[in-house]
Amino acid sequence: LFQSMDQGFCVLEMIFDETNRPVDYRFLEINPVFEKQTGLKDATGKTARELVPELEPHWFERYGRVALTGKAERFVERSDTMGRWFEVYAYKSGGTESKNVAVLFTDITEQKEKDQHIRESEERFRALADESPMFVFIIDPNPLAPVAYWNKTWLQYTGQTVNEALGRAWDGIIHPDDIAVVMEYYGPAFEKRQPYLIPSVRVKRYDGQYRWHAFKGNPRYLPNGEFNGYVGVGFDVHEQRLAEEHVPLLFYAPNLITPQKRTETVSQIDVLPTIAGMLQMPYTNSTLGRDVLDTAKKENAAFIIYHAPGWIGVVNDDYFYRKNIRIKKDELVPVRNGLPVLTQTQTDSVKDKMSTLTSALYETARWMLVNNK
């Protein structure tokens, strides 16, 4: 067994000075692998200082402690003088009066250098990633997609700290309705160890606003070929996504306005009221004000511009509301029978809501007229 071991092995006789401080050791026994693991030749009978005059004192201190206390020690240590890393298990050899120590060890220099190379590579990657205008992330090899790293761009965008952003903290940043979208793309890709592309999900900014982003991930592998999760990027596609949902604004009314084609992004429902406003004509749009996400609610609101100076208003399924933007005056009138009689507080509440909607529609159209030139 002694001759066939893969690990280096030796028995040391510790040498102490007059104050019982370990200052050297002599090699009493070595196995055949010893020379390969240490690079030391013909070591039997020689002391460490004879073979390696500049050997670091911590080796004597560790082995001396084992000899004096009888307690075994397991450790990883580097000898700069020898240029090697060792994984060591040292234990007392012989009786209580013995000052001998048996040592099992392995030269792990190659693995340590690989680990150091990986660390340096990771540091270079993170330094470059922090300079990127895109989100950069690393995902652990886990089907739940816990994130092990986000770059500074993500942290600045979300307002998270490094620790706050780790793991599945992105659950609170991705819009709740889009989390399933993320997993719809990530899950199958993870199972097959394939790249993935998430076309667009909403990502919450530090101020609570959402912007559309796309995410692309690629499998990550260790030097031994073992799958190690994903590395990827996220990039803003907000304007592109909005452009897909909106249309260019085209003005063409012969003899009334000069034909214009505008490339600004505007909502489709803004087109007709904008044109009507440019022509100073009353306009009713039955699509304005409907909550298309709430199928149980079929309420409409129409925006009305009067020829009378200063009057604007809206009408919904229950009430007609108008106000004058030049003088402080407004009116609320029921438009169908059977509505309950409102108290003054209730009337003020309805007026307030409809006034806000009226102003919002008016100011939006006015802004478009002023800026779409």
Side-chain angles (χ1 to χ4, degrees):
L1 178 63
F2 180 77
Q3 298 295 323
S4 62
M5 293 170 58
D6 292 331
Q7 292 177 291
F9 177 80
C10 60
V11 177
L12 312 176
E13 178 189 16
M14 295 305 304
I15 301 172
F16 297 85
D17 64 12
E18 62 277 4
T19 64
N20 212 30
R21 183 173 64 91
V23 293
D24 203 349
Y25 49 79
R26 189 181 308 279
F27 294 99
L28 300 180
E29 297 180 56
I30 61 173
N31 72 340
V33 183
F34 177 91
E35 182 177 324
K36 179 182 178 181
Q37 294 278 348
T38 64
L40 303 178
K41 298 181 179 181
D42 301 322
T44 304
K46 296 178 181 177
T47 68
R49 289 197 181 278
E50 288 180 282
L51 295 168
V52 189
E54 302 299 323
L55 187 64
E56 298 85 355
H58 59 75
W59 295 101
F60 309 133
E61 293 167 3
R62 278 191 178 274
Y63 295 144
R65 186 164 57 243
V66 172
L68 293 174
T69 66
K71 294 182 179 179
E73 293 192 17
R74 188 185 300 274
F75 58 92
V76 173
E77 192 69 80
R78 174 176 170 80
S79 170
D80 291 333
T81 304
M82 298 176 69
R84 296 176 186 242
W85 281 92
F86 296 99
E87 184 176 34
V88 180
Y89 177 67
Y91 58 95
K92 187 178 180 69
S93 176
T96 55
E97 300 301 320
S98 171
K99 294 183 179 179
N100 294 348
V101 176
V103 181
L104 278 168
F105 64 93
T106 304
D107 180 358
I108 58 171
T109 305
E110 183 177 351
Q111 183 59 49
K112 279 288 187 178
E113 289 176 348
K114 286 181 180 178
D115 293 344
Q116 179 65 21
H117 176 74
I118 291 173
R119 281 194 298 271
E120 291 174 353
S121 178
E122 291 280 355
E123 289 172 1
R124 288 193 296 270
F125 164 78
R126 296 187 183 209
L128 290 172
D130 281 339
E131 297 299 321
S132 172
M134 297 186 291
F135 302 148
V136 180
F137 59 88
I138 295 175
I139 296 177
D140 285 333
N142 186 305
L144 296 179
V147 174
Y149 167 79
W150 283 108
N151 70 338
K152 286 183 179 179
T153 306
W154 170 272
L155 301 179
Q156 291 169 353
Y157 178 90
T158 63
Q160 293 177 308
T161 65
V162 172
N163 290 333
E164 289 172 345
L166 298 180
R168 277 288 295 241
W170 56 264
D171 274 357
I173 301 299
I174 302 297
H175 192 284
D177 293 343
D178 294 341
I179 291 177
V181 176
V182 173
M183 299 311 296
E184 178 183 342
Y185 286 92
Y186 174 81
F190 177 87
E191 292 299 325
K192 298 178 181 179
R193 309 299 194 250
Q194 292 179 341
Y196 65 86
L197 172 63
I198 303 171
S200 59
V201 291
R202 287 160 289 184
V203 182
K204 185 166 64 176
R205 202 165 55 189
Y206 63 88
D207 58 1
Q209 298 297 311
Y210 284 93
R211 290 184 65 85
W212 291 97
H213 286 76
F215 289 85
K216 179 177 176 59
N218 286 300
R220 191 165 174 254
Y221 293 92
L222 296 175
N224 63 3
E226 179 184 354
F227 174 67
N228 195 35
Y230 282 86
V231 60
V233 297
F235 45 96
D236 192 301
V237 293
H238 194 72
E239 278 69 31
Q240 176 185 337
R241 175 63 187 257
L242 292 183
E244 292 171 353
E245 298 178 350
H246 296 73
V247 295
L249 189 58
L250 174 65
F251 296 145
Y252 182 68
N255 302 321
L256 294 175
I257 57 176
T258 303
Q260 301 176 50
K261 181 178 181 181
R262 307 302 302 176
T263 59
E264 288 86 344
T265 299
V266 295
S267 171
Q268 296 181 46
I269 63 173
D270 289 332
V271 176
L272 293 179
T274 300
I275 295 175
M278 294 178 70
L279 299 176
Q280 296 293 306
M281 296 175 61
Y283 175 72
T284 299
N285 183 350
S286 62
T287 65
L288 283 178
R290 172 173 292 183
D291 183 354
V292 296
L293 299 179
D294 186 355
T295 57
K297 186 177 180 181
K298 300 299 183 182
E299 184 178 273
N300 295 323
F303 181 57
I304 300 172
I305 300 176
Y306 288 87
H307 287 294
W311 285 99
I312 58 176
V314 292
V315 58
N316 61 22
D317 292 343
D318 297 328
Y319 298 98
F320 164 59
Y321 172 82
R322 70 170 186 164
K323 68 178 181 179
N324 195 299
I325 58 176
R326 297 187 180 183
I327 59 176
K328 191 174 182 180
K329 185 176 181 180
D330 66 351
E331 297 176 354
L332 182 69
V333 180
V335 295
R336 63 183 178 88
N337 295 326
L339 292 176
V341 177
L342 301 180
T343 65
Q344 186 59 49
T345 300
Q346 292 171 327
T347 299
D348 291 342
S349 177
V350 173
K351 278 186 174 183
D352 183 66
K353 291 179 181 178
M354 297 187 75
S355 174
T356 300
L357 175 60
T358 301
S359 295
L361 295 173
Y362 174 77
E363 292 297 332
T364 299
R366 192 162 70 97
W367 185 93
M368 291 177 64
L369 291 173
V370 171
N371 292 279
N372 192 16
K373 296 179 180 178

